[in-house]
Amino acid sequence: MTALDAKLDAARADLAERDGVVVAFSGGVDSAVVAALAYDALGDDALACTARSETLPASELDDAVRVAEEIGIPHETVTFSELDDPDFVANGDDRCYHCRTMRLGRMYDVARERGIGTVCDGTNASDPGEGHRPGLRAVEELDVFSPLLAHDVTKAEVREAAERYGLSVADKPSMACLSSRIPTGLEVTEERLTRVEKAERLLRTWGFSQFRVRDHDGLARIEVAPEELDAALDREFVRAAREHLDDVGFEHVTLDLHGYRTGSVSPDEDDEEPLVADVFAQEYPTGGD
């Protein structure tokens, strides 16, 4: 038996002792592995629950539905709005705390309705050491059970476990909520979230795998993985990006030559300014003065 086998067996045994669990389920690799473990341990007494809001891209909801079907676990979707919370809208350095508190609060609502005492999430053993993570405070305060963290399953081991389960998200890149594309201190609005989602849909259509479109109050800063920079400089993509992002409401379009970096608009970033090239148009902006 490998070390990972022992960890996964211990997590299943821990889950099996509970009368049921609600898994906060995004459809990403972490929550998918927790859902698979919970379904192994509890069968239909385990429920995957996805909280739908303005910050969740439609493509991510589609993935969640599909991955729940792969696992076989019952799946439910609930709706709420982070934009109802002024502290979230203000977009301070604790935005993720307010978001996670509301999102997990909806999970507990569902758990109470079903007489279930445990809410689980996909926090893994690598997460606490990854810099500024205010959302973890909400997990602790609400007494959410994190079986991957409790049994020391690292991110690399999570992906290995997902491969063992044959999950299609085993190699899926991390996908933070849409509000992470808006720099700290700039208000989160439905308009900004919508244009970011529409802009990122273009990159997905063009086959980019790891990317973000950061919204700097009307300036779109596109980040792609370093190995995909050549594709981002393709003339046809340049033209499509310029036209599409103008159509969805951006005034300027830029490409970040540093490439994709997690949390590049969050407060724990290095002091170095991003190296940005306005490569998509010689005569941008197309409107205004």
Side-chain angles (χ1 to χ4, degrees):
M1 176 181 291
T2 67
L4 179 57
D5 288 327
K7 293 178 182 181
L8 297 179
D9 284 348
R12 290 188 194 94
D14 201 343
L15 289 161
E17 293 178 356
R18 300 162 193 268
D19 57 358
V21 298
V22 172
V23 180
F25 187 72
S26 68
V29 63
D30 297 317
S31 63
V33 168
V34 171
L37 292 169
Y39 188 61
D40 278 352
L42 293 164
D44 288 346
D45 288 329
L47 172 69
C49 187
T50 303
R52 183 176 187 175
S53 71
E54 297 91 344
T55 67
L56 180 71
S59 59
E60 292 299 295
L61 180 59
D62 291 342
D63 281 356
V65 172
R66 175 178 51 78
V67 175
E69 290 176 352
E70 290 177 7
I71 295 167
I73 190 171
H75 182 228
E76 182 172 321
T77 301
V78 294
T79 302
F80 79 112
S81 177
E82 291 107 334
L83 300 181
D84 291 338
D85 184 350
D87 290 325
F88 174 85
V89 171
N91 198 17
D93 61 8
D94 60 350
R95 181 199 69 234
C96 289
Y97 167 76
H98 299 292
C99 172
R100 188 72 68 89
T101 297
M102 287 184 283
R103 192 171 295 273
L104 290 172
R106 291 294 288 123
M107 300 297 109
Y108 275 106
D109 290 342
V110 171
R112 281 191 292 270
E113 291 168 3
R114 292 174 172 262
I116 294 174
T118 302
V119 171
C120 297
D121 82 330
T123 302
N124 65 64
S126 300
D127 286 335
E130 291 188 347
H132 186 69
R133 300 295 295 270
L136 296 182
R137 178 158 60 97
V139 173
E140 295 173 0
E141 290 180 357
L142 292 172
D143 197 27
V144 173
F145 177 49
S146 305
L148 303 176
L149 177 61
H151 296 283
D152 197 33
V153 182
T154 66
K155 185 68 174 187
E157 290 174 325
V158 171
R159 293 199 181 277
E160 182 179 341
E163 289 179 357
R164 293 186 185 186
Y165 274 112
L167 299 177
S168 60
V169 292
D171 295 322
K172 181 181 179 180
S174 298
M175 180 61 72
C177 80
L178 291 172
S179 60
S180 68
R181 281 57 152 183
I182 302 172
T184 301
L186 185 63
E187 282 194 353
V188 179
T189 66
E190 186 169 2
E191 177 188 8
R192 289 174 177 140
L193 294 171
T194 298
R195 69 187 178 197
V196 165
E197 180 176 8
K198 290 179 178 177
E200 292 192 348
R201 193 177 300 152
L202 174 74
L203 275 79
R204 188 173 295 106
T205 300
W206 276 75
F208 290 94
S209 62
Q210 185 71 80
F211 56 84
R212 297 287 188 270
V213 177
R214 311 290 187 186
D215 187 340
H216 294 266
D217 199 17
L219 182 149
R221 176 163 61 89
I222 296 175
E223 298 178 2
V224 300
E227 61 271 20
E228 296 181 305
L229 279 172
D230 285 346
L233 292 168
D234 175 82
R235 286 185 179 274
E236 287 302 308
F237 174 71
V238 166
R239 179 191 57 77
R242 182 178 65 234
E243 294 177 357
H244 180 72
L245 271 68
D246 178 45
D247 288 344
V248 303
F250 285 103
E251 298 172 359
H252 299 268
V253 183
T254 64
L255 176 69
D256 190 331
L257 298 183
H258 278 303
Y260 167 73
R261 293 165 296 147
T262 58
S264 69
V265 292
S266 69
D268 62 322
E269 277 296 299
D270 295 335
D271 292 333
E272 181 183 13
E273 288 294 322
L275 179 59
V276 176
D278 190 348
V279 300
F280 292 126
Q282 293 180 346
E283 297 180 358
Y284 236 58
T286 58
D289 54 21

